[in-house]
């Protein structure tokens, strides 16, 4: 087994050495019922959240916005709720461990139109009661993050109920949506 490469270092003006890390974002998107949106690519095992590497000069919210646009389409609207978790992960034996920033977004409307990279993928909103049935590929076996995303989204909604009033018409599942 090949050893994981060491992180390159940079030196600040004060001569402090800092490790450089590749970085990625995972976007846990929940709907108004706190159900997570996952995708499954053809020919690949498991379900995954929207994800992308950070590009040079890009902020975390900018990377989230780009990843969602590339995966779900320009018309898919969401609100960035914040950082859910972080961890390091070796995803390529030729690179040092990457810093992974798990973010939370609530879907606010607009049609899902998968981008070129995922145009043949299956997208699904998962019921919270079915989370234990998911073969989760990205992030690998981190089901607790799906639960945490739903819990955090619900807590944020409940903290500001005036911003989330029910609509009069039930949605296609017979539930009333939050707005």
């Amino acid at each position: 087994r090949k050893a994981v490469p060491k992180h390159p270092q940079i030196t600040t003006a004060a001569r402090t050495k800092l490790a450089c890390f590749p970085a990625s974002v995972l976007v846990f998107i929940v709907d108004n019922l706190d159900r997570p949106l996952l995708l499954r690519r053809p020919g690949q095992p498991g379900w995954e959240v929207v994800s992308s590497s950070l590009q040079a000069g890009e902020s975390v919210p900018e990377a989230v916005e780009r990843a969602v646009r590339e995966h779900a389409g320009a018309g898919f609207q969401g609100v960035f709720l914040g950082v859910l978790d972080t961890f390091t992960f070796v995803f390529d034996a030729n690179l040092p461990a990457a810093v992974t920033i798990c973010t939370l977004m609530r879907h606010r409307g607009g049609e899902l139109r998968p981008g070129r990279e995922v145009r043949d993928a299956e997208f699904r909103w998962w019921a919270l009661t079915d989370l234990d049935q998911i073969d989760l590929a990205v992030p690998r076996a981190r089901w607790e993050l799906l639960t945490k995303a739903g819990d955090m989204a619900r807590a944020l909604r409940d903290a500001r109920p005036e911003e989330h009033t029910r609509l009069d018409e039930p949605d296609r599942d017979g539930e009333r949506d939050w707005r």
Side-chain angles (χ1 to χ4, degrees):
R1 181 175 157 150
K2 185 177 174 181
V4 175
K6 293 186 182 218
H7 289 87
Q9 291 187 339
I10 56 174
T11 304
T12 68
R15 299 196 184 276
T16 302
K17 293 189 183 275
L18 302 173
C20 296
F21 291 80
S24 63
V25 292
L26 301 182
V27 187
F28 289 76
I29 302 170
V30 296
D31 68 2
N32 292 333
L33 299 174
D34 303 321
R35 298 176 301 181
L37 177 66
L38 300 176
L39 65 109
R40 181 171 49 193
R41 298 171 193 259
Q44 294 187 15
W47 292 85
E48 59 186 85
V49 298
V50 168
S51 62
S52 184
S53 299
L54 257 72
Q55 296 177 355
E58 195 172 46
S59 70
V60 171
E62 289 168 340
V64 167
E65 183 180 315
R66 179 184 47 77
V68 170
R69 186 176 58 250
E70 290 174 355
H71 284 76
F76 189 90
Q77 299 169 357
V79 59
F80 177 77
L81 298 176
V83 174
L84 183 65
D85 208 325
T86 61
F87 59 91
T88 57
F89 181 69
V90 176
F91 70 95
D92 185 316
N94 294 319
L95 298 175
V99 172
T100 302
I101 304 161
C102 302
T103 63
L104 181 61
M105 173 179 273
R106 182 171 302 279
H107 178 241
R108 285 289 188 214
E111 190 175 340
L112 175 70
R113 292 182 186 252
R116 181 176 30 119
E117 189 178 309
V118 292
R119 70 176 167 264
D120 296 326
E122 175 185 356
F123 284 77
R124 178 174 166 192
W125 295 103
W126 282 81
L128 298 175
T129 55
D130 295 337
L131 295 183
D132 60 346
Q133 299 172 26
I134 299 171
D135 176 15
L136 192 59
V138 177
R140 169 62 47 216
R142 297 288 309 264
W143 298 277
E144 80 280 3
L145 291 174
L146 292 173
T147 302
K148 187 176 183 179
D151 291 347
M152 185 174 169
R154 191 170 27 267
L156 289 169
R157 181 188 62 224
D158 292 348
R160 296 186 298 255
E162 67 281 358
E163 295 177 16
H164 306 280
T165 57
R166 288 216 178 244
L167 298 174
D168 291 330
E169 298 296 321
D171 68 10
R172 60 188 144 106
D173 297 326
E175 297 285 339
R176 295 190 186 278
D177 278 342
W178 291 91
R179 188 177 291 246

